[in-house]
Amino acid sequence: MSSFSNDAFLQRMKAVAQNRPTITPVPARKRTRHERDGTSSAVASDDERDDPTMGSTPLAGLNLNRSGPATQNAANAVRAFAKKQKLRGEQLTQVDTFLNDTPTVREGKLFALVLGLQNDVANIIVAAPAFSVSPELQTNIKSYALAVMLSPKLAQYRGDLPVQHVMNILKKHRFDMPPGIENNPADMQKITAAVQYAFTQDRSSLKKKLFSSVRVTRLDAAGTRVVLDLPPGQHQNLFGLAQAFVEGTKCRITNALCGRIALMRYVYLQNSTSSFWVSLDEALAAMRTAAEGNDEACDAMFEDLIHMDKTLHGAVDIVYQATNNIQQEVDDLIVAGRGREKRADVGSSDPTDDTTSTPEGNGTEGGEDDESNEH
């Protein structure tokens, strides 16, 4: 028998083999008990219910997780919850209607409610009164401004630096400050103005206490007010002056605070004019330069100032107190803020001016010292 050797046929078969369709064999369906027994039944067997390939209804395309109106148990639970929220009668009816709605209607109602809430919020924002510094916020500003002025960590007494220290404290504790006020420059300026005014008042108050420690005001025969230097024996000693400084505050008399007060009185006797605070900042800067960044050297300078003050204004034994939590917090924030704030004058273009304008609504004077006769 000769072999088949038709080249055209072989090539055709190869082409068919290479392009043949994939045929998936259909698995044999399991016969039911009724089919095996030769009987029929309208009730499907367990195998038929479990096997998706059995039965005449295909499952493809069915949404087995289809959602619809709430079941009775779910509706009862929601109604009970709604009653606990003390909804009104018509609102409870709306809840029942919502539960029986289709998913599409529910989503549409929820979206409409969101839009309605947006309108309500917009109306509330428009109707809100203009921000003003509350009495509670004003009290905290005054308290922390004086604590900053009495801190031995303060690098300068004028300019933006002390103001920024208080602003950092306010932002940390949020004393009666509305959320997001940092994004409203106009409202933040009102708080900044209140802080600046508090420092103006504090500088005026402390300077008057320095004046009273070494000088007195008298009226002469013509009724003119004159300033007289007290004799050294009548000067207020350092401990008494420190008590006057911390009166009405939560600050305590520490060695570091007495060193600062001694420096203030020393500078005051050299320059008691309106540029006193400028001279004080310059003295502090000169001490830091002389210490070359050495804290121990700087502490030794303040100890020398304390000794000098006791010699000039009365020897006294001072019982120093430990720093309390408020002072420690202020000192820590000042140290943390060093190097981040810019040095600049606040309020006035004249660096020797010791006054600023009164914030709107305070109704008091700017707190300047009347020391025209002290020279």
Side-chain angles (χ1 to χ4, degrees):
M1 178 182 295
S2 62
S3 61
F4 185 79
S5 60
N6 191 319
D7 293 337
F9 179 81
L10 293 176
Q11 291 177 0
R12 181 182 178 87
M13 292 299 101
K14 288 180 180 180
V16 172
Q18 292 174 357
N19 297 293
R20 69 185 185 278
T22 301
I23 301 175
T24 303
V26 179
R29 183 171 65 85
K30 185 186 298 184
R31 296 174 62 194
T32 67
R33 176 171 56 83
H34 302 290
E35 291 176 332
R36 290 195 300 270
D37 296 341
T39 61
S40 62
S41 174
V43 180
S45 66
D46 293 339
D47 292 336
E48 287 176 303
R49 287 194 296 269
D50 296 338
D51 192 347
T53 64
M54 300 175 64
S56 59
T57 303
L59 296 181
L62 287 181
N63 183 4
L64 299 180
N65 295 321
R66 181 180 58 189
S67 60
T71 64
Q72 188 62 39
N73 289 339
N76 291 337
V78 173
R79 290 190 190 97
F81 178 78
K83 290 180 180 179
K84 288 183 179 180
Q85 304 307 309
K86 299 181 180 180
L87 298 184
R88 299 189 301 271
E90 67 273 14
Q91 291 176 324
L92 293 174
T93 302
Q94 292 177 1
V95 171
D96 289 335
T97 303
F98 184 81
L99 292 175
N100 292 320
D101 286 335
T102 63
T104 302
V105 175
R106 291 178 188 171
E107 292 175 357
K109 287 184 176 180
L110 289 175
F111 182 68
L113 288 174
V114 170
L115 295 178
L117 287 174
Q118 287 181 344
N119 294 336
D120 293 339
V121 171
N123 292 333
I124 292 174
I125 294 175
V126 171
F131 171 78
S132 61
V133 178
S134 67
E136 293 80 7
L137 179 56
Q138 186 68 54
T139 298
N140 285 298
I141 288 175
K142 291 180 179 179
S143 176
Y144 276 98
L146 186 53
V148 168
M149 287 288 289
L150 298 180
S151 172
K153 303 297 183 180
L154 188 61
Q156 66 183 80
Y157 291 91
R158 285 183 55 82
D160 283 341
L161 193 57
V163 174
Q164 190 58 50
H165 290 322
V166 174
M167 294 298 293
N168 290 338
I169 294 172
L170 297 180
K171 292 176 183 178
K172 175 184 177 182
H173 292 293
R174 313 297 306 180
F175 296 118
D176 205 25
M177 292 173 60
I181 191 173
E182 291 86 350
N183 300 321
N184 190 325
D187 289 347
M188 283 300 293
Q189 180 56 38
K190 294 178 182 179
I191 298 179
T192 302
V195 174
Q196 292 171 349
Y197 181 73
F199 275 114
T200 298
Q201 297 294 86
D202 289 339
R203 286 193 295 266
S204 174
S205 175
L206 296 181
K207 191 176 177 184
K208 288 177 180 178
K209 291 175 181 178
L210 291 171
F211 169 82
S212 299
S213 70
V214 293
R215 293 171 181 166
V216 66
T217 302
R218 294 284 188 267
L219 295 177
D220 60 12
T224 303
R225 193 187 73 165
V226 295
V227 175
L228 302 175
D229 290 330
L230 291 172
Q234 296 182 18
H235 288 184
Q236 189 176 28
N237 61 45
L238 183 58
F239 181 64
L241 184 56
Q243 287 179 313
F245 267 52
V246 301
E247 182 181 4
T249 74
K250 295 182 179 180
C251 298
R252 295 178 178 176
I253 299 176
T254 63
N255 178 269
L257 175 60
C258 287
R260 286 295 181 109
I261 296 175
L263 173 64
M264 289 182 186
R265 179 146 60 177
Y266 176 81
V267 174
Y268 182 81
L269 291 175
Q270 309 301 317
N271 178 14
S272 61
T273 67
S274 60
S275 62
F276 159 72
W277 294 101
V278 177
S279 297
L280 181 60
D281 286 344
E282 292 173 350
L284 274 175
M287 292 176 65
R288 288 194 297 270
T289 300
E292 297 181 347
N294 189 310
D295 291 339
E296 293 182 358
C298 199
D299 292 341
M301 294 178 189
F302 281 112
E303 284 292 342
D304 183 67
L305 285 167
I306 291 175
H307 177 74
M308 183 189 306
D309 189 277
K310 290 180 178 180
T311 302
L312 295 175
H313 309 292
V316 60
D317 292 330
I318 303 176
V319 179
Y320 297 119
Q321 300 170 324
T323 302
N324 60 17
N325 293 336
I326 293 179
Q327 280 180 297
Q328 191 62 52
E329 177 194 14
V330 171
D331 291 347
D332 291 343
L333 287 174
I334 290 176
V335 172
R338 282 179 180 173
R340 294 200 304 262
E341 292 86 0
K342 297 179 181 179
R343 300 188 61 176
D345 287 322
V346 177
S348 174
S349 59
D350 182 3
T352 64
D353 183 16
D354 200 29
T355 64
T356 59
S357 59
T358 303
E360 183 178 356
N362 277 335
T364 58
E365 296 299 325
E368 65 270 14
D369 295 332
D370 185 6
E371 299 173 329
S372 57
N373 295 323
E374 286 191 40
H375 309 298

